[in-house]
Amino acid sequence: MLAQKISGTVTDARTGEPLPYVNVYYKGERAVQTNEKGQYSIPFKVGELTFSFVGYNAKTFTPKRARTLDVMLEEFETEIQTATVVGKKKRYSRKNNPAVELMKKVIERKNLGALKAHDFYSLEKYNKLVLSINNITDNMTEWEWAQKHPFLLDHVETCNYTGKRILPISVDESVVREIYRKSTDTQKSIVLGQRANGINDIFATGDILNTMLQDCFTTVNINDDKVRLLQYPFISPLSTNYAIGFYRYFLMDTLNIDGRRCIDVAFTPNNPQDFGFSGHLYVMADSTYRVHRADITIPHRSDINFVETMRVVQEFETLPTGEQVLARDNMIMELSLIEGTQSMQIKRTTDYSAFSFAPIADKEFDFMGDQREDYNARVQNAQFWEARRPGELTDSEEGMESFVQKMQQLRGYKVFIWIAKAFVENFVETSTDPKKPSKLDIGPINTIFSQNFVEGYRLRGSFQTTANLHPKLFFKGYAAYGIDDHCWKGSGEFTYSFIPKAYLPHEYPYNKISVGYYNDVVSPSDKFMTTDKDNVFTSFKWTPVEHMLYTEYWRAGYTREYENGFSYSLSAKVQKDRPTARLFYQPLSTGTVSADKQHHVHDLRATEATIALTYQPGVKWVNTKQRRVATNNDAPKLTLQHSFGLKGVLGSDFTYNFTEAGIYKRFWTPSWGRIDTQLKVGAQWNRVPFPYLIVPAANLSYIKDDNTFSLLRNMEFLNDRYAALFCSWELNGKILNRIPLIKHLKLREYFGFSALWGDLTAKNNPLLEENAHRADLYHFPGTFDATGHFTPITQVMNRKRPYVEAYVGLYNIFKVFNIEYVRRLNYLDDPTTKRWGIRGRFVFNF
């Protein structure tokens, strides 16, 4: 029987060069040494295995079985006592700078021999993403709780990059085939294999973890002008347009790496707090000026949140056909939510192989979107993964499924996870047994209690079924009771998805039909809220909302979504609205405005059909239990919608045609942050009473909400034509980071404006004498005082004078809070108008 061995290669962490004569030994035993190629082999035994070499930091591992173990050693950072020379600091100059001249040649030639120069190419990409609890100390392993559960200690391993002990809690692997066709400039991806194990299995919407990790920690392509990482575009050190002006370059040394003579070029941003990289590029010292290796980090003084350290090491190879390609791309990052608390480690390993320039059949490109998943991608066998992994999984990664199962058996675990899920997901599951997952979830929790003008305090109970009950058929609903109006309200909705869902029907992509009933009290501005109208945090308003209505409707709809970002929906609705509180409907034909209810219309009925189109190419979604959220706001969005009011159908009172269109686009500026813009236009084409006119998107709560007007009152303007422009510029601390003392707070500034142009054509204006006796137009809403005097709350906009409000704000306050000062610039004649306000919200940003 052959003795079991541990073997591998020891390399320099900075240059990747193999290290000969490294001592490899178990404590108290004779060492073996690596050979000239840095290779070693030592019999396996239980215990600590140490790697030490003169001038390098030693590393110690505790392997649990015989396996391949490659180790990278880092050089000591030694302090050398020297004489001090007093003189002026030399100013960095790009003129006649040999490092800058070299980098200009590297940038100029970076795309020579690129893969896209061929008519076709294909490759395979293996990716592994591991999330771990970082820096497990001796004190932590000696905790009584850890000692009582030795499987936790058995799962601890030593990271071969940092030498720290870690506890892996999630591992995600994928194999993707990338294909390219030059004639149509088409690049697509086919997911051949996908597997995930770890804490993401604990949460029903577990894909949120993997999706967010993959979106934040994407592949770094230094040949691109901008590198998207941590959901921000970093300027690449090889950017054609920006690199020379953004970075400072220094010639450090000439090294031999993998048998190739390379020039070590160090680089760093002009301002270390800007969103940029620092590190080393190892440029081949020949006429090709190709980058052979890149070692990239984020400056220690960087303004990036939560990231303690980050390192990306990329290795390039030359194919037999002469192309320079990225062969290996490894990233490791240490993060902590609060400085000084327990940190996490994220390690991404990417390996490229199977490069080919053979023709690719057209049918392989014949699918919508940029990526599709092979039908058996999630059920690939062990042989598939063994054949494609560049190395073995560690013991902890291999045993992740068993680790999670043991965690689930811990005493008190079920209760802890039940509470954690309720806090994170805003829903409570009705089962704590992993073998019997929840078929019914209760929530959202933050809508149980709220308040408004009509109901006073309001209590609500909500629930939704899950795919554990039926993968295609879903039901959700709620019941609510108002303390002051003594009325029950509620809703219920059935959804049938033609695509089986993992947990909830709103998972991407949509292909569903829904039928629902709704009966509640609302204000006209509630429809613009991005959260539930009775969210406890948004139910407190900066202005009284006294004009409300009871609304009741049945709705049926179909929605279809495609992988290229296009979607459409068709819907029909039968609705009855009854005004309440200070809102009333009084036709002009009844005479002057009156508080006498005999002149008021009891309710309005409408039968409506709607078609809506959306195009949002490149968008990616993450699912929560309440809704899905776009993770990539860089994707532009185009919308078009038209609604038909069908008079006489099922008692409908009016004919109307309402059209609305919108466009959203984000622009990134070189090192100056991002500008978000949204333009919306709409028109009500028919003569209609004011309840069917266009209400501006007013945000009446203290919580900041994007693309709304923060200082407009409820129904302050009513239009039948409108255009709204929202523009916000976030500078990522570009200004504040240059102010002494303040820059240490790492605050980030932004400013912007919101503008509304509106028009009320003559046919819909109840203030015109020509309309004074019309029965199909109503008096504008308003308020009667104790003497019976009526004050309207709605005014007609001047079509030549748009409404404008401007704002300036700070975010990244304690890394999570955003506060904003907003100022109203016009329409200030009413003395009760709020001219300014303070808004805020919690936002997590890197």
Side-chain angles (χ1 to χ4, degrees):
M1 182 176 179
L2 294 175
Q4 293 183 316
K5 292 180 179 292
I6 293 178
S7 60
T9 304
V10 183
T11 57
D12 184 298
R14 184 169 71 95
T15 67
E17 282 288 286
L19 295 177
Y21 313 118
V22 175
N23 292 310
V24 183
Y25 60 91
Y26 289 100
K27 186 176 182 180
E29 297 194 6
R30 180 175 295 181
V32 300
Q33 289 188 329
T34 58
N35 61 20
E36 291 81 358
K37 296 181 180 179
Q39 299 169 339
Y40 74 95
S41 178
I42 190 170
F44 166 73
K45 64 177 294 183
V46 177
E48 294 184 347
L49 183 63
T50 299
F51 296 77
S52 67
F53 191 48
V54 176
Y56 288 78
N57 293 307
K59 285 188 178 179
T60 301
F61 300 84
T62 308
K64 301 181 179 67
R65 60 180 172 86
R67 66 182 180 92
T68 300
L69 179 60
D70 295 329
V71 177
M72 292 186 294
L73 297 183
E74 294 183 341
E75 290 185 87
F76 280 127
E77 293 183 3
T78 56
E79 292 186 4
I80 303 175
Q81 293 184 356
T82 61
T84 302
V85 178
V86 179
K88 291 184 178 180
K89 182 180 179 181
K90 187 176 180 180
R91 182 181 179 88
Y92 179 84
S93 173
R94 295 179 177 85
K95 187 176 181 180
N96 299 321
N97 186 328
V100 172
E101 296 306 313
L102 173 64
M103 289 308 302
K104 286 180 178 179
K105 294 177 181 178
V106 174
I107 293 170
E108 181 182 355
R109 291 165 172 78
K110 67 178 181 179
N111 290 320
L112 294 180
L115 296 179
K116 288 187 177 181
H118 292 266
D119 292 336
F120 298 91
Y121 79 76
S122 65
L123 59 87
E124 272 195 13
K125 180 172 73 173
Y126 167 83
N127 191 77
K128 181 175 71 172
L129 196 64
V130 181
L131 175 65
S132 305
I133 299 175
N134 193 38
N135 200 19
I136 304 297
T137 64
D138 290 337
N139 290 337
M140 296 169 67
T141 61
E142 292 172 2
W143 288 347
E144 181 181 353
W145 191 76
Q147 293 292 329
K148 286 183 177 180
H149 304 97
F151 77 91
L152 291 170
L153 301 180
D154 292 340
H155 201 67
V156 174
E157 63 184 28
T158 303
C159 175
N160 63 336
Y161 281 83
T162 65
K164 297 178 181 178
R165 288 190 290 178
I166 60 174
L167 180 70
I169 57 176
S170 175
V171 57
D172 177 86
E173 289 184 287
S174 65
V175 175
V176 177
R177 181 170 181 251
E178 293 185 0
I179 56 177
Y180 173 76
R181 181 174 57 197
K182 185 177 182 180
S183 61
T184 56
D185 193 25
T186 303
Q187 183 174 337
K188 297 202 173 190
S189 301
I190 303 167
V191 181
L192 304 178
Q194 181 78 53
R195 66 192 296 265
N197 281 313
I199 62 168
N200 44 295
D201 296 333
I202 294 172
F203 292 89
T205 51
D207 67 332
I208 188 172
L209 175 64
N210 289 328
T211 303
M212 289 302 294
L213 289 178
Q214 291 168 3
D215 185 66
C216 292
F217 306 100
T218 52
T219 300
V220 174
N221 185 350
I222 60 174
N223 285 334
D224 289 341
D225 275 1
K226 296 178 182 178
V227 175
R228 188 174 184 272
L229 184 67
L230 303 172
Q231 298 185 321
Y232 284 94
F234 288 70
I235 292 178
S236 166
L238 296 186
S239 171
T240 302
N241 297 314
Y242 312 116
I244 298 299
F246 184 81
Y247 287 103
R248 297 182 178 185
Y249 298 96
F250 306 89
L251 297 181
M252 303 300 293
D253 200 356
T254 302
L255 305 170
N256 193 296
I257 301 178
D258 299 329
R260 297 178 182 272
R261 192 167 178 78
C262 297
I263 302 170
D264 178 2
V265 183
F267 62 93
T268 186
N270 289 316
N271 185 333
Q273 287 189 275
D274 283 344
F275 278 52
F277 299 113
S278 63
H280 296 260
L281 298 174
Y282 299 92
V283 180
M284 294 167 62
D286 57 26
S287 60
T288 65
Y289 296 100
R290 287 174 169 173
V291 175
H292 181 66
R293 179 183 172 92
D295 195 336
I296 301 171
T297 64
I298 293 177
H300 178 69
R301 292 167 56 197
S302 171
D303 199 24
I304 304 296
N305 285 331
F306 314 121
V307 177
E308 294 180 349
T309 63
M310 187 210 79
R311 186 179 181 193
V312 178
V313 179
Q314 296 187 329
E315 298 177 7
F316 297 82
E317 292 181 354
T318 302
L319 298 179
T321 48
E323 293 79 11
Q324 181 85 342
V325 296
L326 178 61
R328 284 165 294 280
D329 178 18
N330 298 320
M331 173 191 290
I332 189 163
M333 190 175 295
E334 295 175 300
L335 308 98
S336 62
L337 190 62
I338 301 174
E339 189 173 349
T341 62
Q342 181 62 52
S343 62
M344 304 297 291
Q345 183 197 90
I346 294 172
K347 183 168 65 175
R348 175 178 56 74
T349 303
T350 307
D351 190 82
Y352 298 85
S353 62
F355 292 91
S356 173
F357 303 107
I360 303 172
D362 289 344
K363 64 180 181 181
E364 295 200 49
F365 294 91
D366 192 18
F367 60 87
M368 300 189 71
D370 296 328
Q371 180 174 292
R372 72 170 176 85
E373 188 173 291
D374 196 64
Y375 69 94
N376 60 352
R378 296 181 183 268
V379 292
Q380 295 286 10
N381 57 29
Q383 289 76 18
F384 171 89
W385 292 104
E386 290 172 3
R388 286 166 173 81
R389 288 191 189 111
E392 297 177 335
L393 294 179
T394 66
D395 292 340
S396 299
E397 293 166 359
E398 189 74 58
M400 188 66 68
E401 185 174 356
S402 173
F403 172 76
V404 172
Q405 291 173 352
K406 291 176 181 178
M407 285 287 294
Q408 292 172 338
Q409 295 168 6
L410 291 177
R411 182 180 179 183
Y413 169 85
K414 293 180 180 179
V415 175
F416 172 78
I417 292 299
W418 188 80
I419 296 173
K421 285 183 175 182
F423 178 77
V424 173
E425 299 178 330
N426 202 23
F427 277 79
V428 173
E429 296 182 358
T430 54
S431 172
T432 59
D433 188 349
K435 296 181 180 179
K436 298 178 181 178
S438 178
K439 298 179 180 179
L440 185 76
D441 291 348
I442 297 172
I445 302 301
N446 60 12
T447 62
I448 292 176
F449 171 83
S450 61
Q451 59 89 33
N452 60 63
F453 182 76
V454 171
E455 296 175 292
Y457 295 120
R458 167 188 171 101
L459 300 175
R460 167 175 155 170
S462 315
F463 71 94
Q464 62 187 12
T465 66
T466 75
N468 297 316
L469 181 65
H470 196 286
K472 292 186 175 181
L473 185 62
F474 301 85
F475 179 78
K476 67 177 181 180
Y478 71 83
Y481 183 76
I483 302 301
D484 286 357
D485 70 348
H486 308 292
C487 289
W488 284 96
K489 301 95 179 169
S491 77
E493 181 181 81
F494 282 100
T495 297
Y496 180 81
S497 172
F498 295 94
I499 303 173
K501 297 298 182 180
Y503 200 80
L504 290 171
H506 57 240
E507 295 164 3
Y508 176 84
Y510 287 154
N511 186 4
K512 63 178 185 177
I513 188 168
S514 301
V515 177
Y517 171 77
Y518 182 90
N519 186 351
D520 211 335
V521 61
V522 300
S523 77
S525 298
D526 284 345
K527 62 184 177 181
F528 301 111
M529 298 176 63
T530 54
T531 183
D532 293 279
K533 75 174 189 64
D534 42 5
N535 182 314
V536 63
F537 301 108
T538 59
S539 65
F540 296 91
K541 311 295 186 182
W542 60 267
T543 183
V545 183
E546 302 173 345
H547 295 74
M548 303 182 71
L549 61 141
Y550 289 100
T551 185
E552 179 182 14
Y553 63 78
W554 288 89
R555 182 185 180 278
Y558 172 74
T559 304
R560 181 74 168 94
E561 195 168 44
Y562 298 90
E563 292 181 344
N564 63 354
F566 175 75
S567 66
Y568 70 90
S569 65
L570 306 171
S571 64
K573 182 169 67 174
V574 178
Q575 182 169 340
K576 180 176 73 173
D577 293 336
R578 177 168 59 89
T580 188
R582 300 187 187 279
L583 183 65
F584 60 90
Y585 299 157
Q586 181 183 349
L588 299 181
S589 59
T590 61
T592 58
V593 62
S594 170
D596 189 347
K597 292 188 177 181
Q598 69 176 352
H599 298 305
H600 299 172
V601 174
H602 182 265
D603 58 61
L604 286 178
R605 299 171 184 262
T607 299
E608 178 182 283
T610 299
I611 179 171
L613 309 175
T614 300
Y615 183 55
Q616 196 170 8
V619 67
K620 296 185 183 298
W621 302 98
V622 60
N623 298 312
T624 70
K625 285 193 174 181
Q626 200 163 352
R627 59 182 60 85
R628 66 181 190 179
V629 180
T631 63
N632 179 12
N633 289 320
D634 293 343
K637 184 177 181 180
L638 303 171
T639 59
L640 178 63
Q641 177 177 305
H642 187 82
S643 298
F644 309 84
L646 307 174
K647 183 177 181 179
V649 178
L650 300 178
S652 180
D653 294 319
F654 292 93
T655 295
Y656 58 82
N657 286 271
F658 174 50
T659 305
E660 194 168 41
I663 180 171
Y664 162 85
K665 184 71 175 75
R666 169 172 288 177
F667 301 92
W668 287 95
T669 61
S671 81
W672 283 87
R674 68 172 185 249
I675 301 174
D676 287 346
T677 58
Q678 183 177 57
L679 174 65
K680 298 189 72 174
V681 297
Q684 173 61 264
W685 304 102
N686 296 84
R687 173 180 282 117
V688 291
F690 80 81
Y692 298 115
L693 294 176
I694 303 170
V695 181
N699 175 20
L700 306 178
S701 79
Y702 291 100
I703 307 299
K704 173 178 168 57
D705 203 353
D706 293 330
N707 301 323
T708 58
F709 296 95
S710 298
L711 292 173
L712 273 184
R713 298 187 299 270
N714 185 33
M715 295 191 294
E716 182 173 351
F717 299 126
L718 293 172
N719 303 300
D720 57 13
R721 307 285 190 276
Y722 90 97
L725 176 63
F726 304 94
C727 184
S728 176
W729 188 358
E730 297 185 6
L731 282 79
N732 290 336
K734 188 70 174 181
I735 298 175
L736 297 179
N737 286 344
R738 285 157 172 78
I739 301 176
L741 299 180
I742 292 179
K743 66 181 182 180
H744 299 295
L745 300 175
K746 294 187 176 182
L747 299 175
R748 302 176 190 173
E749 65 286 298
Y750 70 93
F751 59 89
F753 69 89
S754 304
L756 172 70
W757 172 88
D759 183 33
L760 187 64
T761 57
K763 67 176 179 291
N764 283 318
N765 190 342
L767 304 181
L768 297 181
E769 182 63 29
E770 62 192 73
N771 296 324
H773 303 291
R774 298 199 65 93
D776 52 1
L777 294 183
Y778 297 172
H779 288 283
F780 275 158
T783 302
F784 292 97
D785 61 19
T787 65
H789 176 72
F790 178 74
T791 303
I793 64 169
T794 298
Q795 58 180 309
V796 176
M797 293 190 71
N798 181 343
R799 62 183 302 176
K800 296 182 180 180
R801 186 162 63 113
Y803 168 85
V804 181
E805 58 188 37
Y807 54 86
V808 61
L810 295 175
Y811 67 108
N812 210 40
I813 301 172
F814 304 116
K815 298 184 179 181
V816 297
F817 191 64
N818 168 195
I819 191 169
E820 172 182 296
Y821 171 82
V822 57
R823 183 83 182 185
R824 179 167 172 156
L825 302 184
N826 55 3
Y827 289 93
L828 302 172
D829 297 335
D830 186 342
T832 65
T833 296
K834 293 284 183 69
R835 295 170 176 256
W836 62 274
I838 302 293
R839 304 291 180 263
R841 64 178 172 183
F842 287 94
V843 179
F844 286 84
N845 286 311
F846 280 105

